[in-house]
Amino acid sequence: MQNRIGSCVRNTKETQIELEINLDGSGEAAVDTGIPFFDHMLNGFARHGLFDLRVRVKGDLEVDCHHTVEDTGIVLGEAIAQALGDKAGIKRYGSFLLPMDETLALCAIDLSGRPYLNYDVCFTTEQIGTLDTEMIREFFYAVSYSAAMNLHLKILDGINNHHMAEALFKAFGKALDAATMEEPRLSGVWSTKGTL
Ligand SMILES: [Mn+2]
């Protein structure tokens, strides 16, 4: 399989975003969203999914982090969908249980073409660094919607909010890597309907 790359540029009055993802990369990330903890999360996603990810965001952080985080999710989802194309020859499903010290995160994905987010995560702090924890759900909702993926995220155990957030993003990277992997025994799209 040759490198599957998606890129997206999105400019609004609230955010200006340039993003490129290579699903067949080596985990190299260059991320600058203006929110250092969010950069840390996207780096973990790319590193552990072995995706090459380039993200540059100029958002209205003087308002708050909402538009920056949500719009980055929209653009990431669009780029993933673009990179996947017709999804022929891929495994489609992927899941991962990711431990991080006391935290255990679950991520399960179906690249079904039908957007759905099941998010079962309770943070106990309002912010981690300058990232509002409630925006983590908005980010994953935006990704699931714009990539048209079924995405389940759960924290099965967790105490430390930094660990819980990081475990979610890394589990998402690992599960997405598994779901986008090539299945050599397969010809065409892995669906009884014939389309995803
Ligand atoms: Mn960390």
Side-chain angles (χ1 to χ4, degrees):
M1 206 174 258
Q2 61 197 24
N3 284 352
R4 294 164 296 170
I5 295 170
S7 64
C8 191
V9 176
R10 185 180 191 271
N11 290 305
T12 71
K13 284 181 183 163
E14 295 168 344
T15 58
Q16 295 87 51
I17 304 178
E18 281 179 44
L19 183 149
E20 184 177 277
I21 189 166
N22 177 1
L23 298 177
D24 303 298
S26 57
E28 273 180 43
V31 178
D32 182 6
T33 65
I35 307 167
F37 187 76
F38 190 36
D39 294 352
H40 182 42
M41 294 300 98
L42 293 173
N43 270 297
F45 159 72
R47 184 84 194 107
H48 289 278
L50 294 176
F51 307 128
D52 292 343
L53 180 68
R54 220 171 34 75
V55 188
R56 201 216 288 275
V57 186
K58 246 185 73 60
D60 57 355
L61 294 175
E62 69 283 3
V63 176
D64 66 6
C65 68
H66 193 110
H67 304 134
T68 298
V69 175
E70 182 176 42
D71 293 358
T72 301
I74 292 170
V75 170
L76 177 62
E78 278 176 20
I80 290 168
Q82 194 190 104
L84 283 172
D86 66 3
K87 296 183 244 178
I90 63 163
K91 289 187 181 285
R92 175 180 166 182
Y93 293 99
S95 63
F96 208 82
L97 268 177
L98 192 130
M100 188 169 184
D101 298 340
E102 88 296 343
T103 292
L104 185 61
L106 173 154
C107 179
I109 289 173
D110 176 10
L111 296 171
S112 58
R114 298 188 305 279
Y116 193 92
L117 176 69
N118 180 14
Y119 181 87
D120 184 7
V121 181
C122 291
F123 289 105
T124 55
T125 57
E126 284 185 9
Q127 284 196 313
I128 311 170
T130 55
L131 178 68
D132 297 347
T133 48
E134 67 173 0
M135 286 312 300
I136 295 174
R137 184 185 191 284
E138 300 308 310
F139 170 79
F140 284 115
Y141 178 80
V143 173
S144 69
Y145 206 85
S146 64
M149 69 169 72
N150 180 322
L151 175 60
H152 289 250
L153 286 163
K154 277 180 197 288
I155 291 293
L156 301 173
D157 272 302
I159 298 168
N160 180 276
N161 287 271
H162 184 124
H163 288 162
M164 291 192 280
E166 189 165 340
L168 286 176
F169 278 83
K170 286 180 174 173
F172 176 54
K174 299 290 283 183
L176 186 62
D177 181 43
T180 57
M181 224 173 259
E182 190 183 4
E183 173 48 70
R185 293 169 296 176
L186 191 68
S187 65
V189 168
W190 207 344
S191 162
T192 48
K193 280 190 303 213
T195 182
L196 284 175

